[in-house]
Amino acid sequence: MELGISSFGEIAPAHVAGGDTAAARRLQELVALGRRADEAGLDVVSIGEHHRADYVVSAPEVVLAAIAAVTQRVRLTSAVTVLSSTDPVRTFQNFATLDLISNGRAEIIAGRGSFIESFPLFGQDLNDYDALFAEKLGLLLQLNEQEVVTWQGRHRAAITGKGVYPRPLQPRIPVWIGVGGTPASAARAGSLGLGLTIAILGGAPDQYVPFADLYRRSAQQAGHDPATLPLCLNCHFHIADTSKQAADEFFPAYSLVMNRIGRERGWRPMSRQQFDYLCGPEGPLFVGTPQQVADKLVRLHGLFQNTRFIGQLMLEGMPHEAVLRSTELFGQVVSPAVQRALAPQAV
């Protein structure tokens, strides 16, 4: 099972005309985290796309390119690229460029996004929410397969025999579909033979097993071998030397961000008691000691047979050194423990 880290680049909302030193610092911290993940032996770094004042990353491929320049082996992926509101041609070109810079380490996780700010920003109609994603995903996959493209759809100008450059170093850029709670998206990933990333950001992980089952069933029905398709799970995480330290460091940052989103969506404020429950053995938060996190990862693998796990960092309200230390422990202590536990036993 591959292990990696993910970040949205959370930041205290600020409205400035220029000289945004907080944003500059956060982006530099993201690059430092990518470098630490690579040094610690982790497999993946993923960066999310948002278009809000409380997230600093609107162009994940640019941030990933900066990380590529200071790393050697870690895979570099978006989490997610909001494909519905962008141009697939430009997206492909950007990630092909990232692939060349990184010597073949780029990936794309395409999704519809959990926020809607990008749709009016780029002139898209929310009434076309699903149609936009389906059409643009189809074009992205065609671009990935063909150097010269002829294509026609409803939501973008047609392409007639045009070459799209540059081409990536890899034969094809790995494309995944990211889902949060939509069964149709899991079925789509399976039917297309694409990797699936399931974000488990609320509720017990057990509740998401049907998404994995639907994904593999849809793949098989479409003629793909489910055993060859990658499945990634994404959960919030933080690791420290003691469980109390991990919880005490993570709760202020986690509750700050989740309560801000919750006020927009009508959620009740999060209490420490609720947070501690979510950190328990069957909860969705991977917060604790290296051994506690390793044990939960092994249990998760038993439920899903996933090939990858991404631990989502929380940056706003967290000391940067604590996040670096968590990343280090994840790669140097948790990862070896998980690989030993999952290794086939000699008979």
Side-chain angles (χ1 to χ4, degrees):
M1 180 167 59
E2 294 178 318
L3 298 178
I5 59 169
S6 172
S7 178
F8 292 161
E10 301 89 357
I11 192 168
H15 302 279
V16 294
D20 195 343
T21 56
R25 182 171 60 252
R26 179 69 78 237
L27 287 171
Q28 291 158 8
E29 289 173 349
L30 284 173
V31 174
L33 282 165
R35 181 171 57 242
R36 182 64 59 91
D38 193 58
E39 293 169 347
L42 289 172
D43 303 294
V44 188
V45 171
S46 55
I47 301 294
E49 173 190 340
H50 292 87
H51 301 268
R52 297 163 49 99
D54 49 352
Y55 296 103
V56 75
V57 181
S58 63
E61 51 270 65
V62 177
V63 180
L64 291 168
I67 294 172
V70 298
T71 56
Q72 298 295 323
R73 54 173 298 278
V74 71
R75 302 289 296 176
L76 302 166
T77 181
S78 56
V80 300
T81 291
V82 186
L83 192 60
S84 306
S85 58
T86 191
D87 180 7
V89 174
R90 198 61 175 142
T91 294
F92 176 81
Q93 291 176 320
N94 289 348
F95 278 90
T97 302
L98 170 64
D99 200 58
L100 297 172
I101 291 171
S102 66
N103 200 30
R105 294 185 279 142
E107 300 184 7
I108 301 171
I109 302 178
R112 298 183 299 178
S114 60
F115 296 98
I116 62 172
E117 287 84 0
S118 63
F119 287 82
L121 185 63
F122 296 112
Q124 305 293 350
D125 189 340
L126 273 172
N127 291 322
D128 299 324
Y129 186 73
D130 192 61
L132 282 164
F133 182 73
E135 180 176 292
K136 292 186 176 187
L137 179 63
L139 175 54
L140 178 65
L141 296 178
Q142 187 174 339
L143 294 164
N144 209 17
E145 294 286 340
Q146 301 173 1
E147 178 178 338
V148 179
V149 175
T150 295
W151 175 91
Q152 186 170 359
R154 291 180 50 235
H155 301 285
R156 188 201 184 280
I159 305 172
T160 306
K162 300 296 184 184
V164 179
Y165 306 101
R167 305 307 297 177
L169 183 62
Q170 299 176 90
R172 297 172 189 83
I173 299 173
V175 176
W176 304 59
I177 291 182
V179 305
T182 307
S185 294
R188 176 185 284 134
S191 65
L192 292 172
L194 302 177
L196 177 68
T197 296
I198 303 175
I200 303 177
L201 305 180
D206 308 55
Q207 299 172 2
Y208 292 81
V209 172
F211 285 89
D213 293 341
L214 175 60
Y215 167 59
R216 292 179 171 127
R217 188 166 62 249
S218 300
Q220 189 167 39
Q221 291 170 351
H224 305 292
D225 181 0
T228 66
L229 296 182
L231 173 64
C232 176
L233 304 176
N234 183 97
C235 302
H236 285 107
F237 98 119
H238 181 63
I239 305 169
D241 295 317
T242 69
S243 56
K244 183 178 186 304
Q245 179 187 355
D248 288 347
E249 288 176 345
F250 195 67
F251 174 69
Y254 181 74
S255 60
L256 174 71
V257 173
M258 298 306 288
N259 286 340
R260 183 164 63 230
I261 297 171
R263 286 191 294 271
E264 299 175 8
R265 302 185 178 184
W267 302 343
R268 296 178 60 183
M270 173 167 291
S271 66
R272 177 61 188 255
Q273 183 179 14
Q274 181 185 5
F275 169 81
D276 288 340
Y277 174 79
L278 296 175
C279 293
E282 298 181 2
L285 298 184
F286 284 65
V287 176
T289 65
Q291 189 61 56
Q292 287 172 324
V293 171
D295 290 344
K296 287 188 75 168
L297 285 171
V298 172
R299 177 182 182 276
L300 202 70
H301 186 268
L303 291 171
F304 291 90
Q305 296 300 301
N306 52 303
T307 60
R308 179 180 285 185
F309 174 87
I310 301 294
Q312 185 171 327
L313 306 168
M314 196 67 71
L315 300 188
E316 184 187 351
M318 284 285 294
H320 182 55
E321 287 302 319
V323 181
L324 287 172
R325 174 64 174 159
S326 176
T327 301
E328 189 174 76
L329 290 170
F330 195 29
Q332 295 183 351
V333 183
V334 174
S335 181
V338 170
Q339 306 311 337
R340 286 193 300 269
L342 297 183
Q345 299 298 312
V347 178

